[in-house]
Amino acid sequence: MAPIEPPPPLSGKKRRIGVMTSGGDAPGMNGAVRAVVRMSIAQNCEAYAIYEGYEGLVQGGDMIREMGWEDVRGFLSEGGTLIGTARCKAFMERPGRLNAAKNMIIKGIDALIICGGDGSLTGADKFRGEWPGLLEELVEKKELTAEQVEPFKHLNIVGLVGSIDNDLSMTDATIGCYSSLGRICESVDCIDATALSHQRAFVIEVMGRHCGWLALMAGVSTGADYVFLPENPPSENWEAEMCSIIKRHRDLGKRKTIVIVAEGAHDRNLRKISPLHVKTLLTDTLRLDTRITTLGHVQRGGTACAYDRMLATLQGAEAVKAVLEATPDTPSPVICMVENKIERRPLLQAVKQTHEVAEAIAAKDFDRAMGLRDAEFAEYWQAYNITTATDQPQLRLPEEKRLRVGIIHIGAPAGGMNAATRAAVAYCLARGHTPVALHNGFPGLIRHHDDKPLGAVREVSWLDAEGWASKGGSEIGTNRGLPSEDMATVAMCFEKYKIQALFAVGGFEAFTSISELRKARDQYESLKIPMVILPATVSNNVPGTEYSIGSDTCLNALIQYCDACRQSASSSRRRVFVIETQGGASGYIATLAGLSIGAFAVYTPEDGINIKMLDRDIDHLREHFSKDKGQNRAGKIILRNEKASKTYTTEIIASMIREEARGRFESRVGVPGHFQQGTTPSPMDRVRAARFGVKSLQHIENFIGKSKDEIADDPMSASVIGIKGAKVLFSSMKYVEENETDWKDRRPKDEFWMGLKDVVDTLSGRPKALPTPSTPKK
Ligand SMILES: Nc1ncnc2c1ncn2[C@@H]1O[C@H](COP(=O)(O)OP(=O)(O)OP(=O)(O)O)[C@@H](O)[C@H]1O
Ligand SMILES: O=P(O)(O)OC[C@H]1O[C@](O)(CO)[C@@H](O)[C@@H]1O
Ligand SMILES: [Mg+2]
């Protein structure tokens, strides 16, 4: 039967892009839909939502509807998926896909962006592969004419990975996985308190039918005693092994036990490992009072964390770009994240590699299964094992290779400082090194190193640091003071307390401190030791890395604050909140928060603020509110970094808006201040802190056996660990200090995120700035 409705013409439009969410819902999916819709419109395309996943495509009609700019307002701060999702049986079969193809053509949709998990993208890949055959069949069966299908010969399809499971190969993170991990961590942190009180054991089941990412990361970020993953089942002898590890932890004084079991966990013979089985072992063998908690769907619920909002937004925008750049020969891409870089990878290959993991598991080839997950996964597994099992004789170094490692926190507190320290301590102990905490930064060391009975230089035991994975702030105390306050005493202390390596955790002051120590090596032999700085600051302004631990915790705190303000502003109607963010002279926090909440405008120190900018933004607000008839939930947020301008303070901007609004709308000020340091660190900060902590100590070990002069002569002996693009690497401090540092403004010379400001502006519909003398052309 020929279609009743011919494909609508796309006069003057480049493309008609369909977007859908499919499979299990995941926090952040709404952000992806918002980005696709708004970016499509901004790029002169039409955007259509396909409701209820593939079900909408198979059924067509009203389930495929055009989306306007305002239809996605507020999407960023909503959990689940507002356009619905489904697990669609019909699409699994060819007749269902035939209907789907027909509906796409009837609706004139010539590009499809699908946000879903491994199953949804497998379906997308199948659809893409069958497309020419489906069109032929539609013509053959006279459901469509040859002319009708002609413009749709090449299926333009792009995948976005949205799933809490993080189970697609070739991407480090899927939209939703960090939000889900956040829910798990919150729950385990809560359970921790009650477990500790009763000295109980808890067996916690987390989601992940075929993938252990959530279980592993939950283990790393909560310091669980044992984890079970489908990719890497425990040894044949796991029951005894698990009991022995847990017994040892108890013998060392631990009052609680947490075991995390992935829903898809099994042993090496693929027999399911159930929480009940684990509980029975803990009860019968170790006599522990044990409870089971199955977290279930709370893991999928709730609003998205900052990272997922950012990921969803950037990937959604990238997907539209990929649609527009596609040629008939371009393989369909899936948008991936590799460390800190958005990349397009071939959908076909990503799906194939994902299936290979399942095949390797089914064939009991677990090494291959682990190898097929991304490199990050194996590193986290290693970090987890080294920092958890206390008795691993094979890891211990011979006596002469063991070091006394000083650990110091410098600067303001940042989420993840304790987790990094815990990992470093556990690593040191596993290898036979002695971890020595230098309390309260350099001023603590200088003034209180030999206080009696408790000086600032203290060896740390496993039990001391064991509970630090989830603790916010700094357990060993942190301070902005620099070693130059009294370099001679610092050098003397290193000599006196036999500090043979230094692991520094902190922000720009930590960076400056290591720079000072490195330069003072000419004067003091005791400073000719390997030193690593792990950047940790809410401001994310440390040169040598694109990511400092603590910045993710800060963004989460900030978006929580902004969501509350937006809710208030939207409810009161016609209200603008001007919110002042931290970040020093770096606009990172303001910009990323702006991206995550859909800010109306973001003011950064890099661009400054000028009167033309304010005039234009206020005009835009006026125009926006003049169209508002009161039914719009139109709360607006402007983010202003604390150092964006000396003249245009947060208060002044809010007053200008109030004045210029002439009663049409009003403004309020919000200053979250130190709330931005957060309480408990975010899971991303915790897991990266652990991974980078272990890597830092491994880097330090490269210098074992070298003479003092050899160490001093090696530029890598004072280095900073960081993420640069798609890589995690160490950079020599000397190089970074001399080439990558803007010392005056205390930030990297080249800030990777500057390009993101355009995305914030485009997606909020902010008018483009005309170049003025103080906004130089890029
Ligand atoms: N092999 C396949 N062929 C065709 N369609 C498929 C295939 N696998 C999955 N799909 C389609 O994708 C939908 C979602 O797949 P699935 O239920 O596996 O969820 P997912 O996308 O993997 O998400 P998650 O696992 O995160 O919940 C299925 O209901 C089906 O419509
Ligand atoms: O209740 P549902 O929708 O079947 O989902 C459960 C499954 O979905 C997932 O959460 C992925 O979204 C799996 O980890 C889990 O097994
Ligand atoms: Mg899946």
Side-chain angles (χ1 to χ4, degrees), residues 4 12 70 102 122 188 195 232 237 287 312 328 388 414 463 486 489 514 540 564 569 588 617 668 682 709:
I4 312 139
E70 294 296 325
K102 182 176 161 186
T122 302
V188 178
N232 201 3
N237 194 25
R287 304 264 157 242
T388 306
L463 195 62
D486 185 351
T489 304
I514 300 299
N540 199 18
Y588 173 83
D617 287 338
R668 291 287 185 276
S682 74
D709 286 336

Side-chain angles (χ1 to χ4, degrees), residues 75 245 553 587:
F75 265 41
I245 289 178
T553 302

Side-chain angles (χ1 to χ4, degrees), residues 87 117-120 163 165 167 209-210:
R87 302 197 195 271
D118 59 339
S120 304
S163 164
D165 288 355
D167 55 0
R209 238 188 308 229
H210 309 291

Side-chain angles (χ1 to χ4, degrees), residues 635-646:
K636 294 281 173 208
I637 304 271
I638 291 178
L639 292 169
R640 176 193 172 277
N641 162 288
E642 58 190 353
K643 293 205 162 127
S645 163
K646 283 199 177 120

